[in-house]
Structures are given as C-alpha cells and as structure tokens.
C-alpha cells in the first residue's frame, strides 16, 4: 500500500506545480473562513493542517493521514431545527485544487464523519465534505433517535443536503470560484444517502455513485428483524456459524461452473436445496439437523405478508462464507448477535416504537412493518423512481452491488433500477443511469469475486482510467459524455482475504448485461470475457 500511496503523492505534487499556485494567500483565506456567516450554522474551526500532521485523536488512525498535503480544515455545526446538531467538515487543499467537490457519505446509522474518504479526496486534488448526519455514536447504535424525530430527519436526508450546501458555500469563499463539478459517492446507508440526493435534491450533485444502497430501509430492516426472530426462536432453530463453511461448499459444489474463485457468477441460476445437507447420522459441522435445514430454507426465502404481498428478498446462495458474510450479518457468533439483529432491534426500539424495552421476539411482520412505514418511511426511504429533475440538469447516476452481499439484497437494487426504467422509459433511463452487479463481492467490497474497481475513488493510482475505475468512469460520463458499459475489476482467488491466492480480473458489465466467458483463454484474465446478455 505504501508504494502506491507514494506514487500518488508524486502525481499530486506535479499537479500542484502545474497549477502554479502558492499557499500564502490560501492560508489567510482559510483563517477568514472562521468569519463566514451562514444561516443556522456556526463555523467552529477554520485552520490550516500542515502536510502529514492531521491528528484526530483516534486509537488507530488511518495511515493515509500522514501523506496528506497541507489543507484548510473547516469544522461547522449546523442547526436547521432546535433539535439539530449536524457536524460538518469541509477539507480544502491549499494548492492544486482540481476544481471539483467530492461529498462523502456514511454507513449504518452514521454517527461519525468518514475521515478516510475525505483524506482520499483531498489527496487527489478535490475539495471534500462529510457529516455525521446529526448525531454522535457507532454505526450500529440508534439510541440517539429515541424521542428525537428531527434527528431522524437529519439522519434520513437533511444532514447530507445541509453538508452539501455549506460545502459549496465554503468552496466558493475559499477559492473565489464555485466547483466546476460535484460528485457524491458512498455505499450501504451511504448508497441510500446517494439516492436520496438524486431524488430530493437533484441540483446538489452532477455525478452520484451509489453502492449497495439501503434505499428501501423500512422493508430491509423489517426483513432483518423477521430473520433474527426466526433464528432465535429456539435453540434448535439457530444456525451455528461453524456450519456456514460447509453450507457454502455445498452451494458451490451444486452450482459453480468454472469461475476462477469461490463464487457464483450468477447466483440467481443456483437452485440449492437445504434438505440435501440433513445429517444421516450424528450431527457435525458438515451437516444440518432438520430444524437447521428449515432455518436455512427461511434465510434463502423471500419475506411476504400473510396475504402473500412481497416485502423483501431472501439471501442469494453463494454469499455465505467470508469475513463479510453470514457470520457477520445473519447468524452472528452466537444466537441474536448478528449485525442485522442489532440494527433491526435498534431501529424498532428507537425509531419506530420509542420503547427501549421492545422485545424483538415479539416481532410480527404484518403489524410491525405497518408501524415502521408510518414512523419512518418519509424520512428514511429513498424509493422514488422519478428522477426526471436529476436527469434534466444533466445528472449521471451509477449504482453497483455485490452478488455476495449478505447485508442488503442486490435484487432490491435491481428492483429499484427497473422501477426507474418503467417510470421514465428504457431510453430515457439509459441516458443517465447504469447498474453494475459484481460477482462474488460482499457488502460494498471484499469477497472472493472481482471486488476492486475504484469504488472508493482515485485513491489507488494503479486504477487510473475509466476502464478499471468506476469513479473515473462516472467523471468521464459527466464531463465527457462517455457512458460506461463495462469496467475491469480485480480479485483474488483466496476467498479468505489473506492474499495468498492468484490474482485475476473480470469485466463487470452495465446491467442487464453480464460477463460471459468466450469459451477459450485464461478464466482469470478479463480479456477472456465479453459483456453480453445471458
């Protein structure tokens, strides 16, 4: 990592020199930002951070910070309501600004600013902004919402928009020029934030990159609560994490067709029966009891109301194993300890029922989904398919999602893009929306598939073009009118993530196309594939 960070610093230094700027005037301009008058906002700090000296008093700071050039750090607190406390930071490189602004989003329940994202943007010449969305805490914590409906709105949509407005004002004041282009990129809840921006505030950004968006928050978290209840209904129903590797191996044996790693190119084509794993003799980690097989079947099944109305997609086969797989999101290490169980419990206790003692074992999908919709759909759900205003001003939207995502179903993202196409028409949608589905990728990144394709920006200089970096592809679409049809992604055949396997590459293709093996050539080489209809 150190080698390519140093390479990037060298590129940045040349860029700064090319602009012919000095830092002297910028230092004074940074200090002057402390006097900037913005309605309902206090500028808490405006100061130059010298190159490589950023100290956020973190226990484990990112190594990237020590490579940062000198920049102006603006810290602000926005209070659009009497119950709002939205912390915002805007970082502005003293020299070598590329004329663009980059908005950084959040994951989970937010609660902190994504400083590594800000650093990556500044390191590559952008002015950048981020927010904690109005509260402080861990990404899995929701007690901040109890009795604070305005903070829920700040988290749902207002925080990112206020951050964007303030950032544009700060950029104008600091550089005496507006950003030529504005971009927003994030994943998970940040993907939901991204879609909320496109839907509610189409003038905020020219280009938006939305990864694995939790856009249908209400249905997603209700499904998580249902699954957590089913797995925790009795000791017999719980699916031990120790059995997940055997489940994944059985799925791959049943459905894998020569892919270069431990993943399925098309998990929708896999029809795996949990009953085939029922123990014939004594129970071991290699087989399932009848109750465990029933739980596994429930994990793969869609969630429906009693009248058959569809609510949310079940898990796709193939994404069971790995550090970002079912052990983290679905089963946890012990019963009731999964990330999904924690998120859904926090959501219903604090955002839906305002009852810290709400019992997740009492969950009823029909009743509690209705209550959730009444409580938070307006603030949290980014489901509007009508993106006409965003398109009308030239906005471009790219979504991506891993087929192995155990946190948020990639089929939900397919549903959203399909709804945009139905609402706006295929031809109209094609002019400004692209979806890339990534085989083997887990939640936002990682997994045994080709999961590295520039989704976190220009930070890695080895991903240096629109051909292998989806962030650059978005910029080329916005600035040059070149629509991306495929991006070459990289992966590693070692599914454990230890980096001991062989590296490989594959194209990820604009949906509904997918990578198809040509029939000859190295399956680990992207040149052996073509994007086409399966």
């Amino acid at each position: 990592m150190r080698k390519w960070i140093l390479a990037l610093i060298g590129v940045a230094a040349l860029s700064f020199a090319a602009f012919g700027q000095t830092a002297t005037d910028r230092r004074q301009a940074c200090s002057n930002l402390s006097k900037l008058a913005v309605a309902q906002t206090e500028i808490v700090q405006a100061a130059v951070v010298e190159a490589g000296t950023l100290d956020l008093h973190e226990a484990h700071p990112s190594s990237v910070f020590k490579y940062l050039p000198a920049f102006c750090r603006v810290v602000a607190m926005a209070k659009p309501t009497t119950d709002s406390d939205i912390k915002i930071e805007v970082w502005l490189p003293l020299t070598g600004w590329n004329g663009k602004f980059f908005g950084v989003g959040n994951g989970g329940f937010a609660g902190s600013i994504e400083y590594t994202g800000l650093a990556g943007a500044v390191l590559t010449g952008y002015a950048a902004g981020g927010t904690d969305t109005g509260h402080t805490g861990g990404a899995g914590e929701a007690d901040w919402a109890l009795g604070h409906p305005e903070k829920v709105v700040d988290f749902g949509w207002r925080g990112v928009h206020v951050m964007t407005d303030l950032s544009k004002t700060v950029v104008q004041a600091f550089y005496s020029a507006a950003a030529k282009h504005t971009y927003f990129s994030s994943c998970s809840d940040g993907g939901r934030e991204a879609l909320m921006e496109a839907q509610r505030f189409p003038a905020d950004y020219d280009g938006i990159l939305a990864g694995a968006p939790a856009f249908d928050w209400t249905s997603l978290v209700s499904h998580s609560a249902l699954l957590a209840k089913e797995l925790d209904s009795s000791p017999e129903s719980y699916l031990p994490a120790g059995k997940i590797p055997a489940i994944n191996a059985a799925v791959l044996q049943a459905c894998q067709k020569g892919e270069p790693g431990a993943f399925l190119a098309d998990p929708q084509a896999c029809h795996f029966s949990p009953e085939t794993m029922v123990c014939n003799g004594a129970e071991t980690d290699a087989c399932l009891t009848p109750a465990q097989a029933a739980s596994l079947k429930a994990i793969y099944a869609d969630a429906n109301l009693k009248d058959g109305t569809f609510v949310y997609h079940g898990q796709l086969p193939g994404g069971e194993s790995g550090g970002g797989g079912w052990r983290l999101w679905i089963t946890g290490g012990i019963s009731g300890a999964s990330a999904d169980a924690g998120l859904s419990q926090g959501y219903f206790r604090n955002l839906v029922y305002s009852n810290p003692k709400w019992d997740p074992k009492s969950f009823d999908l029909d009743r509690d989904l209705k209550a959730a919709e009444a409580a938070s759909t307006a603030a949290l759900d980014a489901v509007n398919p009508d993106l006409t205003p965003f398109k009308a001003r030239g906005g471009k939207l790219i979504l991506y999602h891993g087929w192995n995502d155990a946190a948020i179903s990639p089929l939900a993202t397919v549903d959203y893009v399909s709804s945009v196409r139905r609402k706006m028409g295929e031809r109209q949608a094609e002019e400004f929306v692209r979806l890339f589905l990534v085989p083997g990728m887990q939640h936002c990144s990682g997994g045994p598939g080709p999961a590295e394709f520039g989704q976190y920006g220009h930070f890695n200089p080895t991903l240096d073009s629109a051909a292998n970096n989806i962030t650059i592809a978005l910029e080329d679409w916005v600035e040059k009118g070149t629509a991306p049809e495929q991006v070459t992604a990289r992966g590693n055949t070692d599914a454990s993530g230890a980096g001991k396997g062989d590296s490989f590459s594959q194209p990820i293709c604009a949906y509904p196309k997918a990578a198809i093996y040509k029939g000859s050539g190295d399956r680990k080489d992207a040149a052996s594939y073509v994007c086409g209809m399966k």
Side-chain angles (χ1 to χ4, degrees), residues 25 81-82 92 127 141 154 270 319 335 348 393 395 405 412 514 533:
D25 293 340
T81 76
T82 57
L92 310 122
E141 299 172 4
D154 290 339
C270 180
S335 180
F348 278 97
R393 62 172 300 276
D405 194 332
M533 299 297 294

Side-chain angles (χ1 to χ4, degrees), residues 98 100-103 117 120-121 124 126 182-186 206-211 396 398-400 436 452-460 463-479 482 484 486-488 508:
N98 64 12
K100 305 175 188 180
F101 172 74
F102 199 93
T124 46
Y126 295 83
T182 56
Y183 298 93
F184 185 89
S185 175
S186 197
D206 302 315
I208 292 176
L209 185 61
K396 306 299 182 186
I398 295 179
L399 304 95
Y400 64 89
F436 292 84
E452 188 179 1
F453 49 93
Q455 65 268 46
Y456 292 111
H458 300 261
F459 195 48
N460 185 342
L463 305 179
D464 58 359
S465 74
N468 58 21
N469 189 312
I470 202 165
T471 303
I472 298 176
L474 175 63
E475 289 184 312
D476 279 4
W477 198 7
V478 168
E479 299 171 25
T482 307
Q486 68 178 61
V487 176
T488 298
I508 54 174

Side-chain angles (χ1 to χ4, degrees), residues 380-415:
L380 302 185
D381 288 357
V383 295
N384 184 2
D386 188 357
L387 300 178
T388 302
F390 181 70
K391 177 184 182 298
R393 62 172 300 276
K396 306 299 182 186
L397 171 64
I398 295 179
L399 304 95
Y400 64 89
H401 209 133
W403 276 123
N404 275 26
D405 194 332
I408 301 170
S409 175
L411 295 178
T413 301
V414 172
D415 289 345

Side-chain angles (χ1 to χ4, degrees), residues 201-350:
F201 306 104
D204 277 3
Y205 292 98
D206 302 315
I208 292 176
L209 185 61
F215 72 97
D216 191 3
W217 180 282
T218 305
S219 295
L220 164 65
V221 184
S222 294
H223 173 247
S224 296
L226 175 67
L227 205 54
K229 177 187 176 181
E230 290 180 347
L231 291 178
D232 197 34
S233 61
S234 70
E236 293 76 23
S237 297
Y238 176 63
L239 190 63
K243 300 203 175 193
I244 291 176
I247 294 170
N248 183 244
V251 168
L252 294 178
Q253 183 177 11
C255 300
Q256 194 176 30
K257 301 183 188 304
E259 289 87 351
F263 64 93
L264 303 179
D266 183 8
Q268 293 183 99
C270 180
H271 303 289
F272 173 72
S273 175
E275 289 82 1
T276 61
M277 290 192 67
V278 172
C279 303
N280 291 322
E283 180 187 358
T284 69
D285 279 351
C287 64
L288 305 175
T289 67
Q292 291 165 355
S295 293
L296 180 57
K297 189 173 183 178
I299 292 173
Y300 290 132
D302 292 343
N304 299 292
L305 299 180
K306 292 182 178 69
D307 65 4
T309 301
F310 172 79
V311 174
Y312 202 76
H313 295 281
Q315 289 288 321
L316 287 168
E320 300 85 5
S321 284
W326 285 16
R327 181 186 175 91
L328 172 63
W329 294 103
I330 307 299
T331 68
I334 58 174
S335 180
S338 71
D340 272 359
L343 286 166
S344 61
Q345 180 173 290
Y347 168 70
F348 278 97
R349 284 182 172 176
N350 297 289

Side-chain angles (χ1 to χ4, degrees), residues 365-454:
L365 184 59
D366 285 62
R367 179 194 65 217
D368 294 325
L369 174 61
K370 185 176 181 179
E373 290 172 341
S376 68
T377 288
L380 302 185
D381 288 357
V383 295
N384 184 2
D386 188 357
L387 300 178
T388 302
F390 181 70
K391 177 184 182 298
R393 62 172 300 276
K396 306 299 182 186
L397 171 64
I398 295 179
L399 304 95
Y400 64 89
H401 209 133
W403 276 123
N404 275 26
D405 194 332
I408 301 170
S409 175
L411 295 178
T413 301
V414 172
D415 289 345
Y416 177 71
V417 172
S418 298
S419 73
V420 172
R421 290 178 169 176
R422 287 193 301 270
K423 179 68 177 180
M424 302 188 65
E426 291 282 345
R427 183 173 297 180
Q428 291 286 321
E430 191 72 9
E431 292 177 3
F432 77 104
V433 179
R434 290 289 187 278
L435 166 62
F436 292 84
L437 296 168
V438 189
M441 188 173 80
Q442 294 179 331
H443 188 52
C444 299
S445 63
E452 188 179 1
F453 49 93

